[in-house]
């Protein structure tokens, strides 16, 4: 009984001391973080800049000769116009849109490289050929659909293909 009491006293003492120590550390940690953590955050350049941006006045006054600090549109902020896709070249258009008929002479189409078939057509003049290719053409040999059916092609691209077909067929 005596020893138990002694043990109990000792035990309580140790537990009490530990509890007080833990509390002390906790309070100390709170105090230190109070004085450091937040201050560091508030002093941080990023935080300061964010605050400055939030409380920035809506308008700013510049006196003549004063340097402007506001973000005037610069080369970086002005978006570049979308680059216009370059027109396809004659061979590119021919291979994707004209070859199907003009490669083998489907439906009466004059075959690429056949000078005899092309000579009377070329004699009409390149502008007429381009016009027929762009708008479509019903001839005695067959029907040439407008742009070869590829309405997604630009007039310029179809004209490129006609130039290519004519140079290849002389
Ligand atoms: C569906 C088949 C077909 C496709 C695809 C086609 N053509 Fe033709 N094309 C013809 C036919 C058929 C003729 C002949 C019409 C005639 O003279 O009776 C012809 C004729 C032509 C002529 C001669 C017109 C004239 O006045 O003599 C040109 C130039 C021509 N095509 C260009 C093209 C180009 C460029 C393409 C591709 C963008 C193309 N064709 C795609 C069927 C086609």
């Amino acid at each position: 009984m005596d020893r138990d009491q002694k043990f109990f006293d000792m035990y309580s003492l140790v537990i009490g001391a530990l509890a007080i120590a833990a509390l002390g550390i906790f309070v100390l940690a709170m105090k230190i973080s109070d004085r450091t953590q937040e201050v560091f955050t508030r002093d941080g350049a990023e935080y300061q800049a964010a605050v400055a941006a939030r409380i920035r006045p809506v308008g700013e006054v510049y006196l003549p000769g004063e340097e402007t600090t506001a973000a005037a549109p610069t080369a970086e902020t002005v978006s570049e116009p979308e680059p216009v896709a370059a027109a396809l070249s004659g061979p590119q258009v021919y291979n994707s849109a004209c070859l199907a008929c003009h490669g083998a002479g489907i439906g009466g189409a004059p075959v690429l490289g056949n000078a005899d078939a092309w000579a009377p057509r070329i004699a009409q003049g390149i502008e007429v050929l381009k016009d027929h290719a762009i708008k479509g053409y019903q001839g005695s040999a067959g029907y040439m659909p407008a742009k070869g059916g590829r309405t997604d092609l630009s007039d310029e691209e179809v004209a490129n293909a006609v130039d290519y077909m004519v140079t290849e067929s002389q």
Side-chain angles (χ1 to χ4, degrees):
M1 186 64 190
D2 222 20
R3 273 180 61 197
D4 278 358
Q5 187 58 50
K6 248 188 176 168
F7 172 78
F8 186 75
D9 286 352
M10 197 63 185
Y11 188 76
S12 308
L13 209 68
V14 170
I15 291 292
L18 281 176
I20 289 168
L23 197 74
I25 290 168
F26 178 72
V27 170
L28 196 70
M30 290 289 283
K31 279 226 144 58
I32 291 172
S33 77
D34 240 18
R35 236 178 300 149
T36 54
Q37 218 164 359
E38 254 179 70
V39 175
F40 280 149
T41 314
R42 267 185 263 123
D43 283 351
E46 244 172 75
Y47 187 86
Q48 293 280 335
V51 170
R54 277 201 295 276
I55 64 174
R56 183 169 51 91
V58 175
E60 283 172 46
V61 176
Y62 293 113
L63 297 174
E66 211 176 23
E67 218 172 281
T68 56
T69 52
T74 62
E76 282 127 67
T77 53
V78 173
S79 62
E80 295 247 325
E82 283 278 306
V84 180
L88 296 175
S89 72
Q92 282 175 322
V93 175
Y94 172 78
N95 286 322
S96 71
C98 322
L99 175 79
C101 293
H102 288 274
I106 306 296
V111 176
L112 183 88
N114 183 339
D116 288 344
W118 278 95
R121 298 179 186 278
I122 293 169
Q124 303 176 96
I126 189 78
E127 289 311 318
V128 173
L129 294 184
K130 286 178 177 173
D131 193 59
H132 286 172
I134 291 165
K135 295 187 182 140
Y137 169 66
Q138 174 68 65
S140 52
Y143 175 62
M144 160 70 206
K147 297 185 177 182
R150 283 281 304 278
T151 45
D152 57 302
L153 294 171
S154 68
D155 290 1
E156 185 194 349
E157 286 168 329
V158 175
N160 287 346
V162 173
D163 280 333
Y164 168 71
M165 287 162 78
V166 166
T167 35
E168 291 293 304
S169 310
Q170 275 170 337

